[in-house]
Amino acid sequence: GQFSNVESDPDGDEQLWGGLHYHYHLHLSERTSIYAGPTIGVAFFDDRNMNDGALTYGVSGGMRHWLTERAAFTVEPTYLRANFDESAGDDSEEFLVLWGLAFSL
């Protein structure tokens, strides 16, 4: 699947990430599954002094529990590494925990 995240803070800094996750699923029960796999994407940022883009890669995984046939609660830890230019702060690492509701059409 594809994931995009846009952030903007009061200082005018903006970040955009878009990429792909390839997940292997293991079904623990009829309504609950866990998954994990590689992630690859592209990150862009723009602040008042410079802008840059970088290839990102990492791993993600999580748990999905279906509340109904169309809605599920998800928790997804994700580790990402980005290779920015030296002038933009060099390499970056992030560990995120995404959680929320997923809907199926």
Side-chain angles (χ1 to χ4, degrees), residues 28 34 77 82 97-98:
L28 302 177
I34 57 174
V97 177
L98 308 171

Side-chain angles (χ1 to χ4, degrees), residues 31-50:
R31 292 185 173 253
T32 305
S33 63
I34 57 174
Y35 54 90
T39 298
I40 189 165
V42 179
F44 299 98
F45 79 90
D46 186 7
D47 67 13
R48 294 181 185 176
N49 300 319
M50 72 177 70

Side-chain angles (χ1 to χ4, degrees), residues 26-33 65:
L26 175 63
H27 297 279
L28 302 177
S29 71
E30 185 178 318
R31 292 185 173 253
T32 305
S33 63
H65 179 76

Side-chain angles (χ1 to χ4, degrees), residues 1-3 16-21 38-44 53-59 79-84:
Q2 186 172 351
F3 174 81
L16 171 65
W17 184 86
L20 300 172
H21 303 286
T39 298
I40 189 165
V42 179
F44 299 98
L55 175 68
T56 65
Y57 54 93
V59 294
Y79 168 78
L80 290 174
R81 181 170 174 84
N83 297 318
F84 288 103

Side-chain angles (χ1 to χ4, degrees), residues 57-77:
Y57 54 93
V59 294
S60 64
M63 185 273 312
R64 180 173 291 130
H65 179 76
W66 292 94
L67 304 170
T68 68
E69 287 185 15
R70 302 273 186 219
F73 175 74
T74 63
V75 176
E76 184 173 301

